[in-house]
Amino acid sequence: MLAYSVKIATRSLMRNKMISALMVVALAIGIGAAMTTLTLSRALSGDPLPGRSDGIFRVQLDAEPMRGHVAGGEPTKYLTRRDAEQLLAENRADEQAVMAAGVVGIEHPRIATGVAISAARYTSSGVFRMFAPPFLYGGGWGTAEDDARSRVTVISRKLNDRLFGGANSIGEILSLDGQSFRVIGVFDDWRPVPRFYDLSGDPFAEPEAVFMPYATAVDLELKPNGSTVCWGDVDALAGGAIAPNAPCAWLQYWVQLQPSQKRDYHLYLEKYSDQQRADGRFWRPANVRLRDVNEWIEFNKVVPNEVRMQTWIALGFLAVCLANSISLLLAKSLQQSGEVGLRRALGATRRQILMHSMVEVGMIGACGGLLGLLLTLIGLWVVRQQPDRYAQLAQLDAGMFAATFMLALAASAMVGLLPAWRAMQVEPALRIRAS
């Protein structure tokens, strides 16, 4: 029966080549536009820590003065040095990490210019246990290195390839800002998208090439290279905005909690804020936030507005293409009404007519899917030519490859249902008389 339906569908498609081609092209263009934008949107808004993101939270406290205070308003995104170090010392979470962006000068014989400027991350050892980045060689440092302010570093695979030719560099000495650091780990290919742990700059940038202990960076007075919010005079302070008691927030703070611990930790932060207010450090009522990774990404509106808008436009365009395909298929079914009536008169059941029609639209969907896949690949290539950094993430993976064909088949089924229903509803005698 299926073979017979395929034979009839092929004959029908070949008899009306122009209409069949227009339906395939309309379907392919709609699918190509939709899948291009959906692929890009999925790449930009995916979960950067699959299986872990709902247990890792960004901490916010409100340490600013009463000036400009709005009850229940959003607190600053960063913590002061005193608060971050105090929370780290009290150690109330399963895991925790303080961090800040930085810049270091790297000296190495393989650097032609003598010194290369590289982005760095000053952080504590909990980052490796929380984010679980893969390692090519070695691993991260531990709390002992944090406490000892050890001069150790973890570097990216790309930097390891540049300086050590990809060889195992564990134990090698690297000069960072004129200070000797021992390499203890090399990341494997690791690029969380978006770069959730620091969205203050480019959220789609690669992770920093150099990670070092936060306590060591503070000890060496290495300057941070991120956003800083100050609400008091820091010019007279030794160390400026990053001094231990400076009225400035510049540190990011992440914790890992079990679902049952979130409420208790939130209460702990409120009590901490109340205590700081009693001590005269905080002015505002307790106002804390705990957002998990995906909530933090959503709050910061990481996906560019133009990508969201283009996605909706493309889906609307797909709907228009489907409507045009339905019109073409209806026109085609009217042309073939006499043939359908004759087959019904010769004994074909409504179910068989429906099957013949759906096989035909299935073939159209398969052809439209193949052409739509080609148009999707071309569309993604065009996107990657754009200067935006996130454009380089427009890659078709296996999941979206399969989704392209699923969308093509689903779209063709939607296109074919109405014409097939109309074809199976008419009376054979009326069709034969009309023909």
Side-chain angles (χ1 to χ4, degrees):
M1 185 62 188
L2 180 59
Y4 180 61
S5 297
V6 171
K7 181 178 179 181
I8 291 178
T10 303
R11 184 185 302 166
S12 176
L13 292 173
M14 295 305 294
R15 185 184 304 126
N16 300 276
K17 295 180 181 178
M18 183 60 69
I19 293 179
S20 300
L22 287 174
M23 285 191 291
V24 169
V25 170
L27 191 61
I29 292 176
I31 289 173
M35 293 308 298
T36 297
T37 56
L38 285 173
T39 300
L40 181 58
S41 179
R42 179 173 179 264
L44 300 186
S45 58
D47 188 346
L49 289 180
R52 305 175 63 86
S53 58
D54 60 347
I56 297 176
F57 300 87
R58 177 67 176 261
V59 174
Q60 293 172 261
L61 300 175
D62 199 345
E64 296 187 61
M66 292 301 295
R67 184 179 64 254
H69 171 61
V70 177
E74 185 67 24
T76 179
K77 296 180 179 180
Y78 308 97
L79 301 189
T80 67
R81 176 178 169 183
R82 178 169 172 176
D83 293 322
E85 293 180 355
Q86 183 66 31
L87 295 182
L88 195 66
E90 293 185 5
N91 192 24
R92 295 294 186 90
D94 286 348
E95 296 291 352
Q96 51 203 346
V98 59
M99 61 178 64
V103 175
V104 295
I106 304 174
E107 297 179 50
H108 192 271
R110 290 202 178 190
I111 298 176
T113 57
V115 179
I117 304 300
S118 174
R121 174 94 358 207
Y122 312 145
T123 185
S124 54
S125 59
V127 71
F128 304 111
R129 297 183 291 274
M130 277 198 298
F131 300 165
F135 280 88
L136 181 64
Y137 304 118
W141 61 85
T143 54
E145 286 79 11
D146 283 331
D147 295 340
R149 291 174 164 73
S150 299
R151 298 189 183 186
V152 294
T153 183
V154 173
I155 62 176
S156 68
R157 180 170 187 166
K158 185 180 294 186
L159 182 60
N160 187 69
D161 289 344
R162 179 182 181 186
L163 301 184
F164 305 105
N168 188 340
S169 58
I170 302 304
E172 295 285 348
I173 301 302
L174 201 58
S175 177
L176 304 176
D177 272 9
Q179 304 293 329
S180 295
F181 281 73
R182 178 170 53 89
V183 177
I184 64 168
V186 177
F187 290 127
D188 204 345
D189 295 325
W190 181 55
R191 186 177 183 181
V193 178
R195 195 179 66 175
F196 67 94
Y197 60 81
D198 190 348
L199 300 175
S200 59
D202 183 353
F204 303 106
E206 295 181 2
E208 295 82 357
V210 174
F211 278 55
M212 68 170 63
Y214 160 78
T216 304
V218 168
D219 193 46
L220 295 175
E221 298 182 350
L222 301 182
K223 302 298 182 183
N225 186 43
S227 300
T228 300
V229 179
C230 294
W231 50 87
D233 183 15
V234 298
D235 293 335
L237 291 176
I242 64 173
N245 294 307
C248 298
W250 56 281
L251 287 166
Q252 299 133 15
Y253 199 84
W254 291 89
V255 297
Q256 181 174 325
L257 303 168
Q258 300 297 322
S260 59
Q261 296 174 317
K262 181 180 177 181
R263 177 175 174 79
D264 290 341
Y265 195 81
H266 195 281
L267 291 174
Y268 157 69
L269 293 176
E270 290 181 343
K271 291 179 180 178
Y272 175 85
S273 297
D274 289 338
Q275 182 60 53
Q276 297 305 309
R277 188 153 59 102
D279 293 343
R281 285 194 62 244
F282 287 10
W283 294 271
R284 300 180 180 184
N287 183 23
V288 305
R289 298 288 189 278
L290 270 179
R291 291 185 172 98
D292 68 29
V293 170
N294 289 319
E295 290 172 342
W296 183 247
I297 292 171
E298 180 64 25
F299 169 72
N300 284 276
K301 302 185 185 308
V302 169
V303 179
N305 289 331
E306 59 267 25
V307 173
R308 296 181 184 271
M309 182 178 66
Q310 289 166 4
T311 300
W312 285 110
I313 292 174
L315 290 175
F317 184 67
L318 174 60
V320 172
C321 291
L322 292 180
N324 288 334
S325 296
I326 291 174
S327 299
L328 290 169
L329 198 57
L330 283 171
K332 182 181 177 184
S333 66
L334 289 174
Q335 292 179 359
Q336 297 177 336
S337 59
E339 177 185 338
V340 173
L342 180 60
R343 285 162 52 197
R344 288 279 286 119
L346 293 175
T349 64
R350 294 179 189 273
R351 181 178 178 182
Q352 289 171 334
I353 295 298
L354 177 63
M355 183 175 181
H356 297 164
S357 299
M358 295 310 295
V359 168
E360 182 176 349
V361 296
M363 294 173 67
I364 292 172
C367 294
L370 287 172
L371 183 57
L373 175 61
L374 177 61
L375 294 178
T376 300
L377 293 173
I378 293 173
L380 292 175
W381 177 83
V382 172
V383 170
R384 289 195 295 273
Q385 308 313 304
Q386 305 306 308
D388 302 290
R389 189 188 294 269
Y390 68 77
Q392 304 307 312
L393 302 172
Q395 303 285 346
L396 190 69
D397 57 21
M400 297 306 289
F401 180 88
T404 301
F405 286 100
M406 294 292 291
L407 179 61
L409 294 177
S412 62
M414 293 173 59
V415 166
L417 279 176
L418 178 58
W421 181 83
R422 290 191 58 180
M424 63 184 284
Q425 293 299 318
V426 298
E427 294 298 330
L430 295 177
R431 284 294 179 91
I432 295 173
R433 184 181 300 174
S435 62

